[in-house]
Amino acid sequence: MRIVILGPPGAGKGTQAIEIAQARRITHISTGDVFRAASDSGTRMGLKAQEYMSAGKLVPDEVVIGVVEERLKQDDCTGGFMLDGFPRTLPQAEALDRILAAMGTRLDAVINIATPDEVCEKRLSGRRLCPQCKRGYHILWMPPKEDGKCDDCGASLIQRADDRPESVEERLRQYHEQTASLIDYYSGTGVLIDIPGDQGVEALADAIELKLDVLSSA
Ligand code: AMP
């Protein structure tokens, strides 16, 4: 299946996207991960993207569209993909349709995880990351055994620059300004799946799987 997952930052897109991609044996593509990796390796594109990311701003459309187009043309995407974090603007959604049409295909499902801002804020502000092995934690719901230290490799946990309160506020603002309208863009296409995000990880995953099964057997 060719799937897009939408939702505000903190809706749990990343976690669900990984699960779905594994369950359906399709390639998981997170544009946020692509930019973080590029920034860690210090490429020019990565360093530029990092400036936008730490301010909670969106990376310009032409950069993101180019990165996604290149990625979708790779062999591991022919069996399907799970796009996580893209599209985030109307021009990106239109570009995605064009790219897929040129490849002779189209989206099979667009999952929208609808989550109130307060829930997103609480989830993002408590998020911590191991910079070494990349394991994720949450200070309330998934704390490490020893305060501030990774259970697996012992490295000191960090907070992503864009999970700090001022960036979170900006990311939610950008979501409402630029991304929320994509729900209208996809409604009426017959592939939009709307799911309330204010529920546990497992319940959310089950609800998504059920709806994907219905779509894929239609
Ligand atoms: P994420 O991990 O999906 O929350 O993405 C982290 C950051 O990467 C975002 O706040 C943006 O700065 C940037 N980013 C990721 N995907 C996109 C996109 N589709 N369009 C613009 N910026 C993006």
PDB file of all heavy atoms in Angstrom, residues 9 13 30-33 35-36 49 52-53 56-61 64 84-88 92 127 160 162 171, ligand 1:
ATOM      1  N   PRO A   9       2.047  17.790  15.212  1.00  0.00           N
ATOM      2  CA  PRO A   9       3.235  17.257  15.899  1.00  0.00           C
ATOM      3  C   PRO A   9       2.803  16.765  17.281  1.00  0.00           C
ATOM      4  O   PRO A   9       2.054  17.450  17.970  1.00  0.00           O
ATOM      5  CB  PRO A   9       4.163  18.476  16.006  1.00  0.00           C
ATOM      6  CG  PRO A   9       3.309  19.670  15.741  1.00  0.00           C
ATOM      7  CD  PRO A   9       2.179  19.217  14.895  1.00  0.00           C
ATOM      8  N   LYS A  13       2.311  10.193  15.137  1.00  0.00           N
ATOM      9  CA  LYS A  13       2.470   9.742  13.747  1.00  0.00           C
ATOM     10  C   LYS A  13       3.660   8.797  13.592  1.00  0.00           C
ATOM     11  O   LYS A  13       3.551   7.762  12.973  1.00  0.00           O
ATOM     12  CB  LYS A  13       2.740  10.934  12.797  1.00  0.00           C
ATOM     13  CG  LYS A  13       1.629  11.894  12.621  1.00  0.00           C
ATOM     14  CD  LYS A  13       1.944  12.857  11.486  1.00  0.00           C
ATOM     15  CE  LYS A  13       3.173  13.717  11.701  1.00  0.00           C
ATOM     16  NZ  LYS A  13       3.078  14.721  12.758  1.00  0.00           N
ATOM     17  N   SER A  30      10.362   8.967   6.870  1.00  0.00           N
ATOM     18  CA  SER A  30      10.055  10.120   7.715  1.00  0.00           C
ATOM     19  C   SER A  30      10.923  11.278   7.233  1.00  0.00           C
ATOM     20  O   SER A  30      12.153  11.194   7.297  1.00  0.00           O
ATOM     21  CB  SER A  30      10.368   9.785   9.175  1.00  0.00           C
ATOM     22  OG  SER A  30      10.715  10.962   9.886  1.00  0.00           O
ATOM     23  N   THR A  31      10.287  12.349   6.744  1.00  0.00           N
ATOM     24  CA  THR A  31      11.088  13.478   6.257  1.00  0.00           C
ATOM     25  C   THR A  31      11.859  14.117   7.412  1.00  0.00           C
ATOM     26  O   THR A  31      12.976  14.576   7.239  1.00  0.00           O
ATOM     27  CB  THR A  31      10.211  14.509   5.523  1.00  0.00           C
ATOM     28  OG1 THR A  31       8.996  14.694   6.240  1.00  0.00           O
ATOM     29  CG2 THR A  31       9.910  14.070   4.118  1.00  0.00           C
ATOM     30  N   GLY A  32      11.264  14.130   8.611  1.00  0.00           N
ATOM     31  CA  GLY A  32      11.977  14.660   9.784  1.00  0.00           C
ATOM     32  C   GLY A  32      13.260  13.874  10.021  1.00  0.00           C
ATOM     33  O   GLY A  32      14.329  14.455  10.249  1.00  0.00           O
ATOM     34  N   ASP A  33      13.182  12.522   9.939  1.00  0.00           N
ATOM     35  CA  ASP A  33      14.371  11.681  10.133  1.00  0.00           C
ATOM     36  C   ASP A  33      15.409  11.960   9.049  1.00  0.00           C
ATOM     37  O   ASP A  33      16.613  11.995   9.323  1.00  0.00           O
ATOM     38  CB  ASP A  33      14.006  10.188  10.076  1.00  0.00           C
ATOM     39  CG  ASP A  33      13.337   9.710  11.356  1.00  0.00           C
ATOM     40  OD1 ASP A  33      13.286  10.489  12.326  1.00  0.00           O
ATOM     41  OD2 ASP A  33      12.858   8.558  11.368  1.00  0.00           O
ATOM     42  N   PHE A  35      15.918  14.751   7.446  1.00  0.00           N
ATOM     43  CA  PHE A  35      16.590  16.027   7.725  1.00  0.00           C
ATOM     44  C   PHE A  35      17.502  15.943   8.943  1.00  0.00           C
ATOM     45  O   PHE A  35      18.578  16.524   8.953  1.00  0.00           O
ATOM     46  CB  PHE A  35      15.560  17.155   7.905  1.00  0.00           C
ATOM     47  CG  PHE A  35      14.851  17.512   6.629  1.00  0.00           C
ATOM     48  CD1 PHE A  35      13.473  17.652   6.586  1.00  0.00           C
ATOM     49  CD2 PHE A  35      15.570  17.700   5.455  1.00  0.00           C
ATOM     50  CE1 PHE A  35      12.828  17.970   5.396  1.00  0.00           C
ATOM     51  CE2 PHE A  35      14.934  18.023   4.262  1.00  0.00           C
ATOM     52  CZ  PHE A  35      13.556  18.156   4.238  1.00  0.00           C
ATOM     53  N   ARG A  36      17.077  15.191   9.975  1.00  0.00           N
ATOM     54  CA  ARG A  36      17.937  15.057  11.161  1.00  0.00           C
ATOM     55  C   ARG A  36      19.225  14.313  10.803  1.00  0.00           C
ATOM     56  O   ARG A  36      20.315  14.705  11.224  1.00  0.00           O
ATOM     57  CB  ARG A  36      17.188  14.341  12.300  1.00  0.00           C
ATOM     58  CG  ARG A  36      16.269  15.289  13.078  1.00  0.00           C
ATOM     59  CD  ARG A  36      15.613  14.585  14.265  1.00  0.00           C
ATOM     60  NE  ARG A  36      14.570  13.670  13.846  1.00  0.00           N
ATOM     61  CZ  ARG A  36      13.315  14.028  13.573  1.00  0.00           C
ATOM     62  NH1 ARG A  36      12.948  15.284  13.711  1.00  0.00           N
ATOM     63  NH2 ARG A  36      12.423  13.145  13.186  1.00  0.00           N
ATOM     64  N   ALA A  49      18.568  22.837   6.745  1.00  0.00           N
ATOM     65  CA  ALA A  49      17.304  22.308   7.276  1.00  0.00           C
ATOM     66  C   ALA A  49      17.266  22.464   8.792  1.00  0.00           C
ATOM     67  O   ALA A  49      16.229  22.800   9.368  1.00  0.00           O
ATOM     68  CB  ALA A  49      17.142  20.841   6.881  1.00  0.00           C
ATOM     69  N   TYR A  52      15.826  25.692  10.158  1.00  0.00           N
ATOM     70  CA  TYR A  52      14.350  25.734  10.156  1.00  0.00           C
ATOM     71  C   TYR A  52      13.807  24.855  11.266  1.00  0.00           C
ATOM     72  O   TYR A  52      12.895  25.238  11.997  1.00  0.00           O
ATOM     73  CB  TYR A  52      13.798  25.248   8.816  1.00  0.00           C
ATOM     74  CG  TYR A  52      14.087  26.174   7.667  1.00  0.00           C
ATOM     75  CD1 TYR A  52      15.178  25.976   6.839  1.00  0.00           C
ATOM     76  CD2 TYR A  52      13.257  27.268   7.409  1.00  0.00           C
ATOM     77  CE1 TYR A  52      15.442  26.824   5.780  1.00  0.00           C
ATOM     78  CE2 TYR A  52      13.513  28.127   6.351  1.00  0.00           C
ATOM     79  CZ  TYR A  52      14.609  27.899   5.543  1.00  0.00           C
ATOM     80  OH  TYR A  52      14.871  28.743   4.497  1.00  0.00           O
ATOM     81  N   MET A  53      14.369  23.660  11.390  1.00  0.00           N
ATOM     82  CA  MET A  53      13.831  22.693  12.347  1.00  0.00           C
ATOM     83  C   MET A  53      13.922  23.195  13.774  1.00  0.00           C
ATOM     84  O   MET A  53      12.952  23.114  14.524  1.00  0.00           O
ATOM     85  CB  MET A  53      14.587  21.369  12.232  1.00  0.00           C
ATOM     86  CG  MET A  53      14.292  20.655  10.948  1.00  0.00           C
ATOM     87  SD  MET A  53      15.421  19.303  10.662  1.00  0.00           S
ATOM     88  CE  MET A  53      14.780  18.061  11.723  1.00  0.00           C
ATOM     89  N   GLY A  56      11.348  25.459  14.739  1.00  0.00           N
ATOM     90  CA  GLY A  56       9.979  24.952  14.633  1.00  0.00           C
ATOM     91  C   GLY A  56       9.322  25.338  13.317  1.00  0.00           C
ATOM     92  O   GLY A  56       8.117  25.228  13.153  1.00  0.00           O
ATOM     93  N   LYS A  57      10.141  25.808  12.360  1.00  0.00           N
ATOM     94  CA  LYS A  57       9.598  26.243  11.055  1.00  0.00           C
ATOM     95  C   LYS A  57       9.679  25.101  10.039  1.00  0.00           C
ATOM     96  O   LYS A  57      10.485  24.183  10.196  1.00  0.00           O
ATOM     97  CB  LYS A  57      10.424  27.409  10.501  1.00  0.00           C
ATOM     98  CG  LYS A  57      10.520  28.574  11.440  1.00  0.00           C
ATOM     99  CD  LYS A  57       9.812  29.765  10.844  1.00  0.00           C
ATOM    100  CE  LYS A  57       9.984  30.990  11.713  1.00  0.00           C
ATOM    101  NZ  LYS A  57       8.758  31.520  12.237  1.00  0.00           N
ATOM    102  N   LEU A  58       8.893  25.243   8.973  1.00  0.00           N
ATOM    103  CA  LEU A  58       8.929  24.220   7.929  1.00  0.00           C
ATOM    104  C   LEU A  58      10.095  24.480   6.983  1.00  0.00           C
ATOM    105  O   LEU A  58      10.376  25.634   6.633  1.00  0.00           O
ATOM    106  CB  LEU A  58       7.629  24.225   7.127  1.00  0.00           C
ATOM    107  CG  LEU A  58       6.363  23.807   7.868  1.00  0.00           C
ATOM    108  CD1 LEU A  58       5.175  23.760   6.909  1.00  0.00           C
ATOM    109  CD2 LEU A  58       6.533  22.458   8.544  1.00  0.00           C
ATOM    110  N   VAL A  59      10.742  23.398   6.569  1.00  0.00           N
ATOM    111  CA  VAL A  59      11.791  23.479   5.549  1.00  0.00           C
ATOM    112  C   VAL A  59      11.075  23.861   4.236  1.00  0.00           C
ATOM    113  O   VAL A  59       9.950  23.394   3.986  1.00  0.00           O
ATOM    114  CB  VAL A  59      12.502  22.101   5.437  1.00  0.00           C
ATOM    115  CG1 VAL A  59      13.503  22.081   4.314  1.00  0.00           C
ATOM    116  CG2 VAL A  59      13.156  21.743   6.767  1.00  0.00           C
ATOM    117  N   PRO A  60      11.682  24.726   3.391  1.00  0.00           N
ATOM    118  CA  PRO A  60      10.978  25.169   2.179  1.00  0.00           C
ATOM    119  C   PRO A  60      10.522  24.013   1.279  1.00  0.00           C
ATOM    120  O   PRO A  60      11.219  23.004   1.143  1.00  0.00           O
ATOM    121  CB  PRO A  60      12.035  26.034   1.454  1.00  0.00           C
ATOM    122  CG  PRO A  60      12.959  26.481   2.535  1.00  0.00           C
ATOM    123  CD  PRO A  60      12.990  25.374   3.546  1.00  0.00           C
ATOM    124  N   ASP A  61       9.350  24.214   0.673  1.00  0.00           N
ATOM    125  CA  ASP A  61       8.727  23.173  -0.151  1.00  0.00           C
ATOM    126  C   ASP A  61       9.673  22.566  -1.183  1.00  0.00           C
ATOM    127  O   ASP A  61       9.729  21.348  -1.333  1.00  0.00           O
ATOM    128  CB  ASP A  61       7.514  23.753  -0.904  1.00  0.00           C
ATOM    129  CG  ASP A  61       6.299  23.882   0.007  1.00  0.00           C
ATOM    130  OD1 ASP A  61       6.275  23.219   1.062  1.00  0.00           O
ATOM    131  OD2 ASP A  61       5.388  24.654  -0.343  1.00  0.00           O
ATOM    132  N   VAL A  64      12.044  20.005   0.315  1.00  0.00           N
ATOM    133  CA  VAL A  64      11.395  18.777   0.785  1.00  0.00           C
ATOM    134  C   VAL A  64      10.888  17.952  -0.401  1.00  0.00           C
ATOM    135  O   VAL A  64      11.061  16.726  -0.437  1.00  0.00           O
ATOM    136  CB  VAL A  64      10.184  19.101   1.700  1.00  0.00           C
ATOM    137  CG1 VAL A  64       9.750  17.857   2.438  1.00  0.00           C
ATOM    138  CG2 VAL A  64      10.507  20.200   2.668  1.00  0.00           C
ATOM    139  N   ASP A  84       5.697   9.660   6.401  1.00  0.00           N
ATOM    140  CA  ASP A  84       5.448  10.187   7.745  1.00  0.00           C
ATOM    141  C   ASP A  84       6.057  11.598   7.808  1.00  0.00           C
ATOM    142  O   ASP A  84       7.269  11.749   7.726  1.00  0.00           O
ATOM    143  CB  ASP A  84       6.109   9.186   8.713  1.00  0.00           C
ATOM    144  CG  ASP A  84       6.379   9.711  10.098  1.00  0.00           C
ATOM    145  OD1 ASP A  84       5.848  10.768  10.456  1.00  0.00           O
ATOM    146  OD2 ASP A  84       7.137   9.023  10.825  1.00  0.00           O
ATOM    147  N   GLY A  85       5.203  12.620   7.900  1.00  0.00           N
ATOM    148  CA  GLY A  85       5.714  14.002   7.959  1.00  0.00           C
ATOM    149  C   GLY A  85       5.680  14.696   6.610  1.00  0.00           C
ATOM    150  O   GLY A  85       6.127  15.838   6.484  1.00  0.00           O
ATOM    151  N   PHE A  86       5.172  14.036   5.605  1.00  0.00           N
ATOM    152  CA  PHE A  86       5.043  14.606   4.260  1.00  0.00           C
ATOM    153  C   PHE A  86       3.776  14.058   3.639  1.00  0.00           C
ATOM    154  O   PHE A  86       3.547  12.858   3.734  1.00  0.00           O
ATOM    155  CB  PHE A  86       6.251  14.226   3.398  1.00  0.00           C
ATOM    156  CG  PHE A  86       6.205  14.812   2.004  1.00  0.00           C
ATOM    157  CD1 PHE A  86       6.839  16.014   1.722  1.00  0.00           C
ATOM    158  CD2 PHE A  86       5.502  14.168   0.982  1.00  0.00           C
ATOM    159  CE1 PHE A  86       6.789  16.566   0.444  1.00  0.00           C
ATOM    160  CE2 PHE A  86       5.450  14.718  -0.288  1.00  0.00           C
ATOM    161  CZ  PHE A  86       6.089  15.918  -0.559  1.00  0.00           C
ATOM    162  N   PRO A  87       2.937  14.856   2.996  1.00  0.00           N
ATOM    163  CA  PRO A  87       3.069  16.297   2.791  1.00  0.00           C
ATOM    164  C   PRO A  87       2.638  17.098   4.022  1.00  0.00           C
ATOM    165  O   PRO A  87       1.888  16.616   4.853  1.00  0.00           O
ATOM    166  CB  PRO A  87       2.103  16.549   1.631  1.00  0.00           C
ATOM    167  CG  PRO A  87       1.050  15.486   1.775  1.00  0.00           C
ATOM    168  CD  PRO A  87       1.742  14.291   2.335  1.00  0.00           C
ATOM    169  N   ARG A  88       3.135  18.337   4.088  1.00  0.00           N
ATOM    170  CA  ARG A  88       2.773  19.222   5.186  1.00  0.00           C
ATOM    171  C   ARG A  88       2.184  20.531   4.673  1.00  0.00           C
ATOM    172  O   ARG A  88       1.776  21.359   5.487  1.00  0.00           O
ATOM    173  CB  ARG A  88       4.017  19.537   6.004  1.00  0.00           C
ATOM    174  CG  ARG A  88       4.145  18.742   7.303  1.00  0.00           C
ATOM    175  CD  ARG A  88       5.459  19.158   7.918  1.00  0.00           C
ATOM    176  NE  ARG A  88       5.575  18.914   9.324  1.00  0.00           N
ATOM    177  CZ  ARG A  88       6.257  17.915   9.858  1.00  0.00           C
ATOM    178  NH1 ARG A  88       6.790  16.998   9.099  1.00  0.00           N
ATOM    179  NH2 ARG A  88       6.394  17.838  11.167  1.00  0.00           N
ATOM    180  N   GLN A  92       3.042  20.707  -1.411  1.00  0.00           N
ATOM    181  CA  GLN A  92       3.660  19.376  -1.249  1.00  0.00           C
ATOM    182  C   GLN A  92       2.673  18.275  -1.619  1.00  0.00           C
ATOM    183  O   GLN A  92       3.035  17.293  -2.272  1.00  0.00           O
ATOM    184  CB  GLN A  92       4.148  19.179   0.191  1.00  0.00           C
ATOM    185  CG  GLN A  92       5.331  20.060   0.575  1.00  0.00           C
ATOM    186  CD  GLN A  92       5.801  19.811   2.012  1.00  0.00           C
ATOM    187  OE1 GLN A  92       5.465  18.809   2.637  1.00  0.00           O
ATOM    188  NE2 GLN A  92       6.591  20.741   2.531  1.00  0.00           N
ATOM    189  N   ARG A 127       9.116  14.566  25.908  1.00  0.00           N
ATOM    190  CA  ARG A 127       9.877  13.630  25.085  1.00  0.00           C
ATOM    191  C   ARG A 127      11.381  13.800  25.306  1.00  0.00           C
ATOM    192  O   ARG A 127      11.873  14.921  25.373  1.00  0.00           O
ATOM    193  CB  ARG A 127       9.552  13.931  23.627  1.00  0.00           C
ATOM    194  CG  ARG A 127       9.412  12.737  22.767  1.00  0.00           C
ATOM    195  CD  ARG A 127       8.506  12.969  21.626  1.00  0.00           C
ATOM    196  NE  ARG A 127       9.023  13.953  20.686  1.00  0.00           N
ATOM    197  CZ  ARG A 127       8.651  13.986  19.412  1.00  0.00           C
ATOM    198  NH1 ARG A 127       7.798  13.098  18.950  1.00  0.00           N
ATOM    199  NH2 ARG A 127       9.114  14.909  18.615  1.00  0.00           N
ATOM    200  N   ARG A 160      15.018  17.187  22.065  1.00  0.00           N
ATOM    201  CA  ARG A 160      15.189  17.752  20.725  1.00  0.00           C
ATOM    202  C   ARG A 160      14.938  19.248  20.805  1.00  0.00           C
ATOM    203  O   ARG A 160      14.019  19.690  21.480  1.00  0.00           O
ATOM    204  CB  ARG A 160      14.149  17.127  19.782  1.00  0.00           C
ATOM    205  CG  ARG A 160      14.647  15.951  18.998  1.00  0.00           C
ATOM    206  CD  ARG A 160      13.528  15.194  18.323  1.00  0.00           C
ATOM    207  NE  ARG A 160      12.681  16.017  17.460  1.00  0.00           N
ATOM    208  CZ  ARG A 160      11.699  15.526  16.702  1.00  0.00           C
ATOM    209  NH1 ARG A 160      11.461  14.225  16.702  1.00  0.00           N
ATOM    210  NH2 ARG A 160      10.957  16.304  15.957  1.00  0.00           N
ATOM    211  N   ASP A 162      13.558  21.142  18.847  1.00  0.00           N
ATOM    212  CA  ASP A 162      12.202  21.524  18.438  1.00  0.00           C
ATOM    213  C   ASP A 162      11.122  20.987  19.373  1.00  0.00           C
ATOM    214  O   ASP A 162       9.939  21.174  19.126  1.00  0.00           O
ATOM    215  CB  ASP A 162      11.935  21.169  16.965  1.00  0.00           C
ATOM    216  CG  ASP A 162      12.089  19.695  16.659  1.00  0.00           C
ATOM    217  OD1 ASP A 162      12.617  18.955  17.512  1.00  0.00           O
ATOM    218  OD2 ASP A 162      11.667  19.278  15.570  1.00  0.00           O
ATOM    219  N   ARG A 171       5.457  25.038  16.071  1.00  0.00           N
ATOM    220  CA  ARG A 171       5.130  23.886  15.225  1.00  0.00           C
ATOM    221  C   ARG A 171       3.619  23.682  15.153  1.00  0.00           C
ATOM    222  O   ARG A 171       3.077  23.365  14.102  1.00  0.00           O
ATOM    223  CB  ARG A 171       5.804  22.621  15.772  1.00  0.00           C
ATOM    224  CG  ARG A 171       7.292  22.600  15.504  1.00  0.00           C
ATOM    225  CD  ARG A 171       7.986  21.569  16.358  1.00  0.00           C
ATOM    226  NE  ARG A 171       7.737  20.207  15.941  1.00  0.00           N
ATOM    227  CZ  ARG A 171       7.987  19.147  16.701  1.00  0.00           C
ATOM    228  NH1 ARG A 171       8.483  19.300  17.914  1.00  0.00           N
ATOM    229  NH2 ARG A 171       7.747  17.939  16.253  1.00  0.00           N
TER     230      ARG A 171
HETATM  231  P1  AMP B   1       9.038  15.766  12.337  1.00  0.00           P
HETATM  232  O1  AMP B   1      10.032  14.829  12.890  1.00  0.00           O
HETATM  233  O2  AMP B   1       8.143  15.131  11.281  1.00  0.00           O
HETATM  234  O3  AMP B   1       8.244  16.495  13.390  1.00  0.00           O
HETATM  235  O4  AMP B   1       9.860  16.885  11.528  1.00  0.00           O
HETATM  236  C1  AMP B   1      10.801  17.703  12.190  1.00  0.00           C
HETATM  237  C2  AMP B   1      11.021  18.975  11.398  1.00  0.00           C
HETATM  238  O5  AMP B   1      11.532  18.672  10.094  1.00  0.00           O
HETATM  239  C3  AMP B   1       9.781  19.818  11.143  1.00  0.00           C
HETATM  240  O6  AMP B   1       9.434  20.626  12.258  1.00  0.00           O
HETATM  241  C4  AMP B   1      10.251  20.635   9.946  1.00  0.00           C
HETATM  242  O7  AMP B   1      11.143  21.657  10.327  1.00  0.00           O
HETATM  243  C5  AMP B   1      11.045  19.608   9.155  1.00  0.00           C
HETATM  244  N1  AMP B   1      10.155  18.884   8.214  1.00  0.00           N
HETATM  245  C6  AMP B   1       9.882  17.554   8.211  1.00  0.00           C
HETATM  246  N2  AMP B   1       9.022  17.247   7.226  1.00  0.00           N
HETATM  247  C7  AMP B   1       8.753  18.402   6.580  1.00  0.00           C
HETATM  248  C8  AMP B   1       7.921  18.753   5.480  1.00  0.00           C
HETATM  249  N3  AMP B   1       7.175  17.835   4.838  1.00  0.00           N
HETATM  250  N4  AMP B   1       7.886  20.064   5.103  1.00  0.00           N
HETATM  251  C9  AMP B   1       8.626  20.995   5.714  1.00  0.00           C
HETATM  252  N5  AMP B   1       9.405  20.749   6.777  1.00  0.00           N
HETATM  253  C10 AMP B   1       9.486  19.453   7.209  1.00  0.00           C
END
